[in-house]
Amino acid sequence: MIKCNLSRLMGEKKLKISDVAKDTGINRGTITRLYHETAVRVDFEVLEKLCVYLECEVSDLLELDESNV
């Protein structure tokens, strides 16, 4: 299972979903699904925008959780 650390990263920077959506131009629903880990797919463009905005690597945002495989 792929784990999305968006909620943790946003929490560390004290960001709201609405802030990220407004600042990045990413659809609020997309961010919400990633934040709550209910997304079933994500575009590379979205990953790139989030990584640039949060100043992180893809590996900081997404990780493989092998305990649920």
Side-chain angles (χ1 to χ4, degrees), residues 26-59:
I26 299 170
N27 181 287
R28 183 185 172 108
T30 300
I31 297 168
T32 300
R33 286 188 293 279
L34 289 169
Y35 186 93
H36 293 291
E37 296 188 65
T38 58
V40 294
R41 68 182 66 82
V42 60
D43 291 332
F44 286 146
E45 181 182 352
V46 169
L47 288 177
E48 180 182 3
K49 285 181 179 182
L50 287 172
C51 287
V52 169
Y53 181 71
L54 297 169
E55 299 175 336
C56 69
E57 299 293 323
V58 174
S59 59

Side-chain angles (χ1 to χ4, degrees), residues 1-5 37 59 61-69:
M1 177 175 179
I2 302 291
K3 178 164 176 42
C4 182
N5 296 314
E37 296 188 65
S59 59
L61 191 58
L62 301 175
E63 67 179 274
L64 180 61
D65 183 1
E66 296 185 45
S67 65
N68 289 331
V69 174

Side-chain angles (χ1 to χ4, degrees), residues 5-15 54:
N5 296 314
L6 181 60
S7 62
R8 180 180 55 80
L9 293 170
M10 286 174 56
E12 289 171 359
K13 296 179 183 273
K14 295 180 173 53
L15 295 168
L54 297 169

